[in-house]
Amino acid sequence: MTLTAPETPARPKPAAPPRHPGPARRTWQKVSPYAYITPFFTLFAAFGLFPLIYTAFVSLYRVELQTPGDMEWRGLGNYTALFGDEYFWVSLRNTFTIGVLSTVPQLIIALGLAHLLNYRMRGRTFLRTAVLLPYATSVAAATLVFAQLFGRDFGLINYALGLVGIDPVDWQNGTVASQIAVSTVVVWRWTGYNALIYLAGMQSIPDELYEAAAMDGASRWRQFFHVTLPGLRPTILFTVIVSTIGATQLFGEPLLLEGSISGGISHQYQTLGLYMYEQGWGFFHLGRAAAIAWVMFLLIVVLVGVNALIARRRSRKEAGR
């Protein structure tokens, strides 16, 4: 019988002292976040901030397109002349009416499409891709096709109306008719885009809320109004703001509907974007065109602020219940 001495446990090695980064590494750790975002802010300053400031500068001068180097100080003269122009108020009214005619149906249809695409059905992936195809279509191609559809003499829309006994409509010369035609192009192009945004918002709503509502006996319609819509409130606010900005800047659709920068014979569908283009590149008044651009910018800021204020007050009322 042999006796063996018990093994002594190995002594743990002392932990290495923490290594402190050198001065260069510490400096890089502080500067690197700013270095990563520098390209964005550089491009924004060059193509966003500088044109905005320069446009405000030009709006205070009389500048003609033929002689852009000759600048005559006018102060607020371009703005006062703008507000005294009848066609400015006509284009502002047209922008508002076309914006309402295109934004409200567009968002309602997009919400319904997103609700249907949220269900499990065959070919769901294909349908989700298909609703985005109008957005991917060129605005020039889409508007030219719709201009043929809304033709007065040989348009397909008037042909369909004639089948049900309705007289042909002059879609390009009538005030309300031409605005409906422009709005239709906008609705067709942007409905699928907003539908996918709503669909993404719907998929972020927890399924437990729908299960609880179903256990309480809520129908699909009640689930939509009491679960889906409250959960989509931030998404709806986002689409309303984006659609408002797009409606204020509307340019391609009314320009290509008839090919006139005046927006029809009596300016019946001339938007602010067309009016700015007409002043700058039709009448060569770059100073007044710059003033119109700044009025559009301030109008967008006011509309976005009003939308945000309404949404915030509504949220506070519901939170206080």
Side-chain angles (χ1 to χ4, degrees):
M1 180 176 181
T2 57
L3 298 176
T4 57
E7 297 180 358
T8 58
R11 303 177 67 180
K13 295 181 179 179
R19 298 179 61 184
H20 297 284
R25 186 174 182 83
R26 288 198 302 268
T27 303
W28 172 247
Q29 289 177 350
K30 294 179 180 179
V31 175
S32 59
Y34 301 98
Y36 292 139
I37 63 176
T38 296
F40 166 77
F41 283 102
T42 302
L43 293 176
F44 173 75
F47 299 101
L49 188 60
F50 172 75
L52 186 67
I53 297 175
Y54 185 73
T55 301
F57 171 76
V58 172
S59 68
L60 303 177
Y61 289 84
R62 183 194 301 274
V63 186
E64 301 298 325
L65 184 62
Q66 303 93 330
T67 56
D70 298 335
M71 304 179 67
E72 177 185 348
W73 172 259
R74 291 200 64 189
L76 298 178
N78 286 326
Y79 293 92
T80 56
L82 186 65
F83 295 140
D85 189 358
E86 175 188 359
Y87 293 119
F88 167 76
W89 298 105
V90 171
S91 62
L92 181 62
R93 185 184 66 242
N94 292 340
T95 302
F96 176 77
T97 54
I98 293 176
V100 173
L101 289 173
S102 60
T103 300
V104 175
Q106 172 192 150
L107 298 183
I108 293 177
I109 298 173
L111 194 60
L113 280 175
H115 186 61
L116 294 176
L117 293 175
N118 197 30
Y119 289 122
R120 295 181 179 178
M121 62 179 71
R122 292 184 178 180
R124 182 174 55 178
T125 303
F126 170 76
L127 294 175
R128 291 177 179 178
T129 306
V131 297
L132 197 61
L133 291 179
Y135 171 72
T137 305
S138 169
V139 60
T143 306
L144 291 176
V145 170
F146 274 89
Q148 299 299 319
L149 293 176
F150 284 104
R152 183 186 62 180
D153 298 324
F154 304 103
L156 185 61
I157 304 297
N158 279 340
Y159 174 77
L161 294 177
L163 295 178
V164 295
I166 300 177
D167 295 333
V169 179
D170 193 352
W171 295 102
Q172 295 182 348
N173 294 324
T175 301
V176 178
S178 60
Q179 293 179 4
I180 291 176
V182 173
S183 302
T184 303
V185 184
V186 179
V187 171
W188 181 81
R189 289 196 68 239
W190 290 96
T191 297
Y193 173 82
N194 289 307
L196 290 186
I197 294 179
Y198 287 148
L199 179 62
M202 289 178 182
Q203 292 180 345
S204 65
I205 299 175
D207 294 334
E208 291 80 5
L209 297 178
Y210 291 101
E211 293 174 359
M215 292 179 63
D216 291 338
S219 61
R220 289 291 181 90
W221 280 106
R222 287 186 175 274
Q223 293 178 24
F224 177 75
F225 285 106
H226 296 286
V227 178
T228 304
L229 288 183
L232 283 180
R233 185 172 295 118
T235 308
I236 293 175
L237 176 62
F238 170 76
T239 55
V240 169
I241 291 176
V242 172
S243 299
T244 301
I245 295 174
T248 307
Q249 298 177 337
L250 195 61
F251 175 76
E253 290 84 350
L255 174 64
L256 297 173
L257 183 66
E258 193 182 6
S260 172
I261 62 175
S262 61
I265 298 176
S266 57
H267 300 255
Q268 65 269 15
Y269 60 91
Q270 185 182 47
T271 59
L272 285 175
L274 270 183
Y275 180 69
M276 178 182 65
Y277 185 85
E278 181 185 43
Q279 292 295 322
W281 283 264
F283 300 148
F284 311 124
H285 303 322
L286 293 184
R288 185 173 295 187
I292 299 170
W294 255 88
V295 169
M296 293 173 61
F297 171 73
L298 296 177
L299 180 62
I300 290 173
V301 171
V302 171
L303 292 176
V304 171
V306 170
N307 286 329
L309 182 62
I310 293 174
R312 183 176 301 178
R313 287 186 176 181
R314 186 178 180 87
S315 299
R316 288 179 179 178
K317 287 182 180 179
E318 294 184 354
R321 291 179 181 176

